[in-house]
Amino acid sequence: MNAMRDRSADSFRQLLLEKYSLPLRAHAHVDKSANPALTRPLRELWEATDLSAAEFADEVSDYFALPRLSLPQLLAGTPRLDGFSRRFLRESTIFPFSATNGGTATDVFQLAVADPSDTAAIRAAEIVFGAPVDVVVASYEDITTVLDQRADADDAHADRTGRSVAQQSDDDIESLRDLASGAPVVRALNDLLERAVDLRASDIHVEPFRSGLVVRMRVDGLLRALPSPHGIPPQALISRIKILASLNIAERRLPQDGAARVRVGRSELDVRVATMPTQHGESAVIRLLPRDRGLLEMSKLGLGARDESAMTRLLAMPHGMIVVTGPTGSGKTTTLATMLSILNEPTRKILTIEDPVEYEIPGINQSQVKPSIGLTFASAMRAFVRQDPDVIMVGEVRDAETAHIAIHAALTGHLVLTTLHTETAAAAVPRLIDLGIEGFLLKSTLRAVVAQRLVRMLCDRCKVPHSLSEADLAKDPRFAVIGFKAGEVVHEAGGCERCGGTGFRGRNGVFEILEMSDEVRALVGPQTDSHSIDAAAMRGGMTTMLEDAVAKCRAGLTTVPEVFRVTTLR
C-alpha cells in the first residue's frame, strides 16, 4: 500500500507517454497544482488518450502493482455500501465490497478503485469500515456499472425493510435541490407558466417517459403538446415545481398536493400542484387559477332563455337544495360562483367550504378543506349550521355523512348549493338515494338539479359557414340524427393567429335544468331510476344538454363534432 501511494499520477502519465508514445487529445500537460479543479488526474488522463477503459485499467493495475478485477468479479462480491452516500461513491468512482469464498462473505473489506492515487477516497473508506481495506483496480466503466446495479438493489431492499429514504440519499437530495434552484431550471418553469398564460391554459401536465419529458397544456378543455424544455433534467424540473408548491422533494414514492401564489408577467396566479409517482419518475399537474378574473354574469354562462329564467326563479327561493352535476372540468365551480355572486347581498350571510377555493368573492366567508387536520366537508357543514348562515355552498357531496348534513341544513331553512358527479341531471336523484338519503327527505328539500358540460366556441374571426348537402348527410349520419337537413348552414373551424390555428377560442356551457315538478317528485323513492325521471322531466319541458348544444350549433357558436364530443343521445 505504501509503495502504491508513493507512485504519483504524474509519473504514471509520463510512463504512459513513453510506453505508447500517445499524443494526448486534451489535458496532456495540465499542471494539477495550477488547476485545483482537476480532482481526478487519472480520469482526465484516460479521457485524453485513445485507450479503452479496460486497457487503461490494465495499465493502472500494472503500474501501481495492484490486483485487477473484471466486472463479473465485482458483481460476485458482497456490496458494503452502508455509511457511504451514493453521490460520494459515484464521484470518487469506488466500490466497497467483501469478497466471497465458497459462497460465504469474508471479513476482509475490499475497495475497487479506478484511481489508486486518490488517497482521500481510500482513507474515507478505512474510516467508515474502521479497518484497513484491500485496494483493487477496476475500470471506470465497470465500477459505474456495478454501482448502478448494486446500489439500486440495495436501495430497493432498504425501502422494503423500512430504512429511511432520506438516510440513503441526503446528498442526492441536496444536489437535486441545488440543481432545481439554478437559473436554467427556474427560467424553464417560468417560461412554461408564461406560455400557459398566453394560451389561456387551465392546466400544465409535466410527464416523464422513457424517451424523455413530455409537456402538455389543457387549452379549452383539450390537451396540447408543447416542446419540452431543452437541456433540463426531468427530475430537476419536477423538483422545481415541488419547491414552488412547498412539497417534500425527498418523497418520490407517494402522491403529494400543494399550492402557491405566483406572478407571471402582469398576472397573479394561484396554482395547485399535484404530483404522482409513475414508472419513469414523478409526473406533476399544475392547475392555474388566475386571481384577477372577474366573476361571470349569468348571461355569460351560456344558459338558454328558458334555463336562465328557471335559474333566476330557483335562486329566489329562501331554502332548499340545488345540485350542480357534471364530470371534473365541466364548469361546475364557475356556475356555483356565478350563483353565489347573484346571491351575494349585505342582507345574506353566505358560507362556503371548497376544495380548493378557486374564486375569491368579497363578502362571502370561504373556507378550504384540510383533511390532514380534520377539516372535511362534513365537519365544516356541522360548524356552518351554528354560524347563522342564509346560504351554504359545499364544494362536493362525496359521502353519506356530508349528504345527510346538507339535506338537514336545507330542511332547517338554509339554501344549500352543492355538486355531484353524475352523467345527467336525472341521475343525481338515485345517486343521493344511494348515499342514504330517504326519499321523503329528498322530496322535501331538493329544488333542482343543473347538469352541464363545456363546448369549445368557434373563433369569430375564422369560422367558416358551410351549407349542408345530401352528400354531407350521407357521409356523416350525425347531422341527420340531431335534426339537420340539406340546405341548412353550419359553421366549421377555420384557424387563424388569434385562436392559435385551432379554429376555437374559449368555451361555453351546455345545460339541462331538472326542476322538481309534482310528476318528478312522485317518482322519487327507493326504486327510483334515472330514466323514468328523465322522461318525466322532458315531458315537463326540460331542455336536454344535447338540445342546448344543437341550438348553439345552429346559432354558429360551435360545431357538430364538438356537440358529440361532450354530449350523448338519450
Side-chain angles (χ1 to χ4, degrees):
M1 178 69 72
N2 291 334
M4 179 269 293
R5 289 177 179 172
D6 289 340
R7 301 190 178 195
S8 69
D10 292 333
S11 59
F12 177 64
R13 175 185 287 110
Q14 185 62 39
L15 176 66
L16 200 65
L17 284 168
E18 293 174 356
K19 184 173 182 180
Y20 288 95
S21 298
L22 290 174
L24 300 186
R25 295 191 303 272
H27 306 301
H29 303 289
V30 175
D31 182 358
K32 184 179 176 182
S33 62
N35 185 6
L38 186 57
T39 57
R40 299 179 189 169
L42 291 195
R43 173 180 282 275
E44 296 293 335
L45 176 60
W46 165 52
E47 292 174 351
T49 70
D50 292 318
L51 294 177
S52 69
E55 291 170 342
F56 189 81
D58 290 340
E59 293 294 338
V60 171
S61 173
D62 290 344
Y63 180 76
F64 289 98
L66 292 172
R68 166 82 163 90
L69 295 190
S70 63
L71 179 59
Q73 291 172 306
L74 292 177
L75 292 172
T78 302
R80 301 293 186 184
L81 306 182
D82 289 343
F84 295 91
S85 79
R86 304 300 181 262
R87 182 181 179 186
F88 173 74
L89 293 176
R90 287 187 168 90
E91 288 185 350
S92 303
T93 322
I94 61 174
F95 176 62
F97 68 102
S98 57
T100 56
N101 290 322
T104 303
T106 65
D107 293 332
V108 177
F109 296 112
Q110 294 187 289
L111 188 70
V113 301
D115 181 0
S117 66
D118 186 1
T119 56
I122 298 172
R123 179 59 184 153
E126 291 176 339
I127 292 173
V128 170
F129 290 135
V133 295
D134 286 344
V135 178
V136 297
V137 172
S139 72
Y140 286 103
E141 291 180 352
D142 288 349
I143 292 178
T144 300
T145 300
V146 76
L147 283 175
D148 288 341
Q149 295 188 22
R150 289 292 186 256
D152 289 348
D154 187 66
D155 291 349
H157 175 72
D159 290 345
R160 289 194 299 269
T161 56
R163 185 163 61 91
S164 169
V165 173
Q167 176 184 346
Q168 57 167 319
S169 57
D170 284 344
D171 289 342
D172 291 338
I173 294 301
E174 288 306 314
S175 176
L176 192 59
R177 189 185 300 277
D178 293 341
L179 182 62
S181 300
V185 180
V186 173
R187 187 162 51 248
L189 180 57
N190 289 341
D191 289 345
L192 284 180
L193 292 172
E194 289 176 4
R195 180 67 170 152
V197 171
D198 291 341
L199 292 174
R200 301 171 295 105
S202 59
D203 304 89
I204 304 173
H205 296 246
V206 181
E207 304 157 320
F209 292 98
R210 184 184 298 274
S211 58
L213 198 66
V214 173
V215 176
R216 297 186 290 176
M217 294 186 184
R218 190 175 294 280
V219 180
D220 291 336
L222 295 183
L223 287 172
R224 182 185 301 182
L226 295 177
S228 300
H230 179 69
I232 303 297
Q235 194 59 47
L237 183 60
I238 296 293
S239 295
R240 180 63 197 166
I241 294 170
K242 292 169 75 173
I243 290 172
L244 179 70
S246 301
L247 301 180
N248 180 10
I249 69 169
E251 179 55 78
R252 305 172 189 172
R253 303 166 300 169
L254 296 173
Q256 296 186 71
D257 295 306
R261 181 170 294 175
V262 297
R263 176 166 289 278
V264 180
R266 297 182 179 180
S267 302
E268 192 173 34
L269 303 177
D270 282 335
V271 300
R272 312 286 170 176
V273 174
T275 66
M276 172 66 68
T278 67
Q279 185 177 4
H280 300 292
E282 285 182 290
S283 69
V285 176
I286 307 172
R287 188 171 190 188
L288 308 176
L289 308 171
R291 303 193 69 241
D292 55 358
R293 59 182 177 181
L295 290 175
L296 296 174
E297 301 171 2
M298 187 179 292
S299 59
K300 296 181 180 179
L301 285 179
L303 289 163
R306 181 186 181 279
D307 288 343
E308 185 171 340
S309 175
M311 182 76 78
T312 303
R313 185 171 61 254
L314 290 168
L315 293 178
M317 293 182 176
H319 52 78
M321 186 164 74
I322 301 173
V323 178
V324 182
T325 75
T328 301
S330 60
K332 299 188 300 296
T333 301
T334 300
T335 298
L336 284 175
T338 303
M339 294 164 71
L340 289 175
S341 68
I342 293 170
L343 294 168
N344 188 19
E345 297 177 353
T347 56
R348 288 193 181 98
K349 179 163 185 176
I350 303 176
L351 301 176
T352 76
I353 178 68
E354 306 170 57
D355 184 21
V357 176
E358 295 189 20
Y359 288 88
E360 292 186 11
I361 308 174
I364 294 180
N365 297 275
Q366 296 174 269
S367 305
Q368 181 168 322
V369 297
K370 295 183 177 66
S372 59
I373 61 173
L375 180 58
T376 62
F377 285 122
S379 62
M381 287 286 290
R382 281 194 295 269
F384 280 180
V385 295
R386 297 191 292 272
Q387 294 287 314
D388 187 30
D390 297 295
V391 180
I392 295 173
M393 193 273 273
V394 54
E396 183 182 348
V397 173
R398 294 178 178 173
D399 51 50
E401 185 181 12
T402 307
H404 278 90
I405 298 172
I407 287 290
H408 284 90
L411 273 173
T412 53
H414 306 93
L415 181 61
V416 178
L417 310 178
T418 188
T419 70
L420 274 177
H421 282 149
T422 60
E423 183 180 358
T424 64
V429 176
R431 173 60 180 152
L432 287 169
I433 292 174
D434 181 57
L435 286 172
I437 304 301
E438 297 288 348
F440 68 90
L441 291 176
L442 210 52
K443 292 179 183 181
S444 303
T445 56
L446 186 61
R447 298 291 180 258
V449 182
V450 181
Q452 69 177 88
R453 300 290 189 275
L454 291 177
V455 294
R456 293 184 297 166
M457 307 304 287
L458 285 166
C459 176
D460 290 335
R461 293 186 182 177
C462 63
K463 63 182 180 181
V464 180
H466 174 71
S467 180
L468 292 175
S469 64
E470 293 291 348
D472 292 325
L473 298 178
K475 181 180 179 181
D476 192 344
R478 294 181 299 181
F479 287 109
V481 167
I482 59 177
F484 281 98
K485 298 178 182 178
E488 289 192 73
V489 176
V490 296
H491 287 76
E492 299 175 346
C496 64
E497 183 179 349
R498 178 173 180 263
C499 61
T502 63
F504 296 92
R505 183 175 175 84
R507 291 187 292 174
N508 216 330
V510 293
F511 296 87
E512 63 184 31
I513 299 181
L514 167 64
E515 295 186 80
M516 295 297 287
S517 64
D518 291 340
E519 184 181 1
V520 172
R521 199 173 282 113
L523 296 172
V524 176
Q527 304 301 320
T528 297
D529 69 277
S530 61
H531 296 292
S532 58
I533 291 179
D534 205 29
M538 285 189 283
R539 286 194 299 271
M542 180 184 76
T543 302
T544 66
M545 284 186 288
L546 178 62
E547 292 169 345
D548 191 23
V550 170
K552 288 180 171 60
C553 188
R554 291 183 185 278
L557 300 177
T558 189
T559 65
V560 172
E562 190 68 12
V563 169
F564 280 97
R565 184 179 70 84
V566 300
T567 63
T568 57
L569 292 171
R570 303 227 288 273

